Amino acid sequence: MAALLRGLRAGRALRGIGGALVAPTATNPRCSSLRRGFHCAALRLQDESKSDKPPSSSSTNYHEHYQAHPTDQDTTAASQGDSADDLAADEAFKTNTSYQDQSGEQGEEYETEEQLQVRILSASLEFVQEHGWSMEAIAAGAETLGLSSASTGMFNNGAGDLVLHFIAQCNLQLTEILAEQHKQVQLGQAEPKHTSDLLRDAVETRLRMYIPYIQTWPQAMSILLLPHNIPDSLKHLSNMVDDIWYYAGDRSTDVSGYHHPRSPPSSARTFLSPFHHHPHNIRPATVQMNWYTKRAVLTGIYNTTELVMVQDSSEDFQDTWNFLNNRIQDVVNMASTAKQVQSTGEAVVQGLMGAAVTLKNLTGLNQRR
Amino acid sequence: MHRATQTALYEWPHVVGPAVTRQCLKYKAPMRQSLRAYSVLPPPRDSEEKEMLAQMIRVDHAGEYGANRIYAGQMAVLGRSGSGPLIQEMWDQEKKHLGKFTEIMADNRVRPTALLPLWNVAGFVLGATTALLGKEGAMACTVAVEESISEHYNSQIRVLMEKDPERYIELLKVIKEFRDDEMEHHDTGLEHDAESLPGYWLLKNAIQLGCKAAIYASKRL
């Protein structure tokens, strides 16, 4: 919330400066926005005005103009000029005030720079087909936003930044879709899916986001394998896999006796099921290890399917989805096979113990004389 | 639904622009509240608090899990002896504790510690080995472990109280209740001749050292 206000404040400061500087009909949007940027940086240092507006109204204002922003870009006050340039574009901006803030200017600038980077990277995605995942694409993206291509200097990691940003966006999209589906099920408007179906759909949805970029995706994958990118890409991957399992109903820290109402009984859940069924025993750590094994398995499925996808030339990547289906079936089969093996093993052990007792009885060793 | 999803996917960059930009900066797995009307953990304000709470729940869960396995080991050896019912009673309380932490963990999407299989085996072995020393051995082990756990809960309570007692009131209630139970076990152990074990001091300190190491490891791994 605080970060939101800071970002909004930065935007408002920008807007205020824009209103002061730019002529009603901006003839040269690029120059004006650049100037605005410089002036903004300079003037923000002197901008100490506090506002009487309470935070709650400021946030509603933010939401208001945020929703209006995509539809009303053209009708924004002429002082905007290049409205796409400004994240906090506010056609309803009436008062040139900033919010009460106790934090230093340092916090504002950091937030704005990050937002700026994100915007540049989002814009650069359109140029990936042309320039590949590279600094050229970022430069081209920066130019569409009206900034000079020298702003690529902001990105120390270059192409890595672009790829990681794209991945983060995809993950966010996936999470929203899964949350929406989950909500539908909870509201009773949709049928709950079987776990394996949900996993398959989630992975397919996520991989389909790569389709517009599939020509250049091998390059992106190799960028992600660079040593300095590996921690970030692993983090994104693990977050995504965690999200998918969460929405698939995984509550793997369950101890026997506690059954979460939302989680469907899945064969994958009994992955490596308990070694013994002593009634007073809690299920041993292998159940808890489900948390890790499930995620590892899904990571494997996702990575292999991604690899298949980049060299798939079939219609609408049908081969890839078939491959995915087969992998998920494998996991389901393996889990149920493991369960069967274990119950067979237990039966065999009991049989052997029975045989041993019988033998002892026959040979008279069991009697106490 | 699938078709709509696909269409949405192809056009998502144009549709979601600013909102996604904003959210990308704060991307983290969303915290979902349980179906219950209240939740033991407050929704975290930032990633720092989330990490702190996650560590606390993770280590508490690991601790209760270990305690369970220790009692299981003790029961395996002494289950049919005179102290069986006593140990069983303490074990049941530990199971209750573990259930509570598992619930909190599942509700808040906290990762369990990867060392659980280790605590599984180590706990059982510790319980069984000390029980082989007789009833006094088992009680000495109980005293040592419960003292460690109580100390650990006390430090957690202290941390939470220092930060914001109002905010963590539910969690504090849970931890205080469990700490009281553990102190009770500790006193029970002392009552039942824990100290009469030869080498009590050595055993107790060794176990407590092990517990400290376990707590340190479970917080991080």
Side-chain angles (χ1 to χ4, degrees):
Chain A
M1 191 59 178
L4 206 64
L5 288 176
R6 279 204 298 274
L8 178 56
R9 207 180 341 104
R12 297 232 162 191
L14 270 173
R15 181 57 55 222
I17 304 310
L21 283 179
V22 186
T25 54
T27 48
N28 201 345
R30 288 187 186 182
C31 287
S32 66
S33 54
L34 205 56
R35 245 188 321 162
R36 222 185 301 160
F38 285 131
H39 280 273
C40 162
L43 284 165
R44 220 187 299 137
L45 292 172
Q46 306 162 19
D47 186 10
E48 297 293 348
S49 59
K50 305 276 189 286
S51 160
D52 294 328
K53 255 194 227 173
S56 55
S57 69
S58 72
S59 59
T60 48
N61 236 344
Y62 187 79
H63 287 304
E64 241 167 53
H65 75 67
Y66 223 80
Q67 279 160 6
H69 176 238
T71 54
D72 265 59
Q73 288 195 19
D74 296 339
T75 63
T76 54
S79 60
Q80 310 316 340
D82 189 6
S83 54
D85 181 33
D86 210 320
L87 184 62
D90 181 12
E91 90 286 353
F93 181 74
K94 295 170 186 64
T95 53
N96 187 6
T97 55
S98 56
Y99 294 92
Q100 275 180 347
D101 87 285
Q102 314 304 325
S103 59
E105 300 305 321
Q106 202 58 33
E108 264 187 54
E109 287 188 25
Y110 180 71
E111 214 41 34
T112 308
E113 184 181 325
E114 249 193 43
Q115 286 178 342
L116 184 62
Q117 284 189 352
V118 165
R119 273 192 301 126
I120 293 179
L121 291 175
S122 302
S124 311
L125 288 176
E126 296 163 38
F127 297 94
V128 164
Q129 227 159 12
E130 205 182 313
H131 299 286
W133 301 89
S134 61
M135 288 303 258
E136 284 87 32
I138 300 180
E143 273 168 15
T144 57
L145 291 180
L147 304 167
S148 96
S149 55
S151 51
T152 54
M154 262 200 291
F155 302 102
N156 297 327
N157 203 5
D161 275 337
L162 187 56
V163 180
L164 289 170
H165 165 78
F166 175 62
I167 297 224
Q169 271 194 326
C170 289
N171 287 348
L172 199 57
Q173 271 303 284
L174 180 68
T175 308
E176 284 176 5
I177 290 171
L178 288 176
E180 184 55 40
Q181 287 178 355
H182 184 72
K183 200 173 72 164
Q184 294 292 317
V185 169
Q186 286 212 297
L187 291 175
Q189 290 169 7
E191 282 301 307
K193 281 193 220 173
H194 203 63
T195 305
S196 54
D197 288 337
L198 205 151
L199 292 180
R200 193 196 56 225
D201 287 342
V203 174
E204 185 180 332
T205 309
R206 179 64 175 75
L207 285 175
R208 278 189 183 274
M209 297 180 194
Y210 291 161
I211 289 182
Y213 304 92
I214 199 68
Q215 297 304 323
T216 49
W217 195 248
Q219 183 197 6
M221 284 174 73
S222 61
I223 290 173
L224 285 177
L225 284 174
L226 291 173
H228 54 266
N229 286 331
I230 287 183
D232 283 327
S233 72
L234 282 181
K235 187 186 66 157
H236 284 304
L237 182 62
S238 59
N239 281 341
M240 177 195 75
V241 167
D242 187 36
D243 274 346
I244 295 180
W245 267 120
Y246 179 79
Y247 287 108
D250 174 48
R251 303 289 182 271
S252 277
T253 59
D254 286 8
V255 179
S256 67
Y258 172 79
H259 188 73
H260 198 285
R262 266 179 293 173
S263 52
S266 66
S267 48
R269 172 179 285 280
T270 53
F271 212 109
L272 307 178
S273 29
F275 293 126
H276 47 94
H277 294 293
H278 192 292
H280 295 300
N281 250 339
I282 57 167
R283 293 161 80 186
T286 47
V287 165
Q288 317 304 345
M289 286 321 282
N290 265 345
W291 197 95
Y292 288 91
T293 51
K294 281 179 176 174
R295 280 150 182 79
V297 160
L298 187 59
T299 305
I301 293 177
Y302 176 82
N303 283 336
T304 49
T305 312
E306 192 182 2
L307 285 172
V308 167
M309 191 175 171
V310 291
Q311 27 94 348
D312 185 8
S313 52
S314 63
E315 175 71 36
D316 191 37
F317 299 92
Q318 201 48 48
D319 285 349
T320 309
W321 313 135
N322 292 340
F323 176 85
L324 176 61
N325 253 335
N326 292 339
R327 294 292 74 71
I328 298 215
Q329 274 311 115
D330 284 347
V331 169
V332 170
N333 288 343
M334 186 165 57
S336 56
T337 308
K339 204 165 49 138
Q340 281 174 4
V341 163
Q342 195 213 314
S343 52
T344 309
E346 277 172 6
V348 165
V349 161
Q350 286 196 344
L352 282 177
M353 295 212 0
V357 168
T358 311
L359 209 59
K360 278 171 78 174
N361 284 338
L362 284 176
T363 56
L365 285 173
N366 237 3
Q367 297 177 17
R368 283 192 209 142
R369 269 192 258 260
Chain B
M1 171 84 191
H2 196 57
R3 187 72 47 199
T5 316
Q6 283 182 318
T7 336
L9 280 170
Y10 284 116
E11 289 157 22
W12 62 259
H14 308 290
V15 168
V16 294
V20 171
T21 313
R22 199 167 24 104
Q23 286 180 52
C24 262
L25 295 171
K26 304 177 184 74
Y27 177 69
K28 54 183 187 279
M31 294 276 281
R32 299 282 164 190
Q33 294 305 317
S34 65
L35 292 174
R36 276 169 280 274
Y38 78 100
S39 161
V40 174
L41 295 189
R45 274 185 287 235
D46 50 35
S47 63
E48 225 179 83
E49 187 190 359
K50 182 165 168 225
E51 187 54 35
M52 178 200 80
L53 288 174
Q55 275 191 350
M56 284 179 118
I57 298 299
R58 188 176 311 137
V59 72
D60 288 348
H61 176 260
E64 293 297 344
Y65 186 80
N68 256 286
R69 297 304 293 153
I70 291 176
Y71 282 120
Q74 289 185 344
M75 275 305 280
V77 174
L78 290 174
R80 275 175 280 261
S81 77
S83 39
L86 177 65
I87 300 179
Q88 181 66 47
E89 189 194 320
M90 293 199 284
W91 189 12
D92 289 337
Q93 278 190 316
E94 297 296 347
K95 281 190 215 167
K96 208 174 51 106
H97 292 182
L98 181 63
K100 183 70 186 169
F101 278 123
T102 306
E103 195 184 294
I104 300 177
M105 197 175 237
D107 284 343
N108 292 284
R109 295 181 66 170
V110 177
R111 169 182 70 87
T113 168
L115 297 170
L116 281 178
L118 179 61
W119 305 145
N120 179 17
V121 172
F124 192 89
V125 163
L126 177 65
T129 317
T130 49
L132 285 174
L133 298 171
K135 177 184 143 207
E136 291 79 16
M139 290 301 140
C141 173
T142 303
V143 166
V145 170
E146 299 294 4
E147 196 175 307
S148 291
I149 291 188
S150 302
E151 202 180 298
H152 168 70
Y153 280 151
N154 276 333
S155 69
Q156 282 191 340
I157 292 173
R158 230 171 285 135
V159 165
L160 291 175
M161 293 289 267
E162 271 166 27
K163 281 199 192 290
D164 192 346
E166 286 305 308
R167 190 172 158 74
Y168 301 115
I169 191 163
E170 290 294 335
L171 181 60
L172 275 170
K173 201 162 69 160
V174 168
I175 297 183
K176 279 180 188 165
E177 187 193 324
F178 289 1
R179 190 238 4 229
D180 293 340
D181 286 342
E182 307 293 2
M183 286 307 295
E184 203 186 300
H185 293 175
H186 172 262
D187 296 338
T188 308
L190 284 177
E191 275 167 34
H192 285 85
D193 312 322
E195 284 164 332
S196 62
L197 179 76
Y200 168 75
W201 185 89
L202 191 63
L203 183 69
K204 176 161 177 263
N205 280 299
I207 292 177
Q208 289 193 325
L209 194 64
C211 285
K212 280 202 186 65
I215 289 174
Y216 182 83
S218 294
K219 254 196 232 170
R220 285 151 187 80
L221 286 172

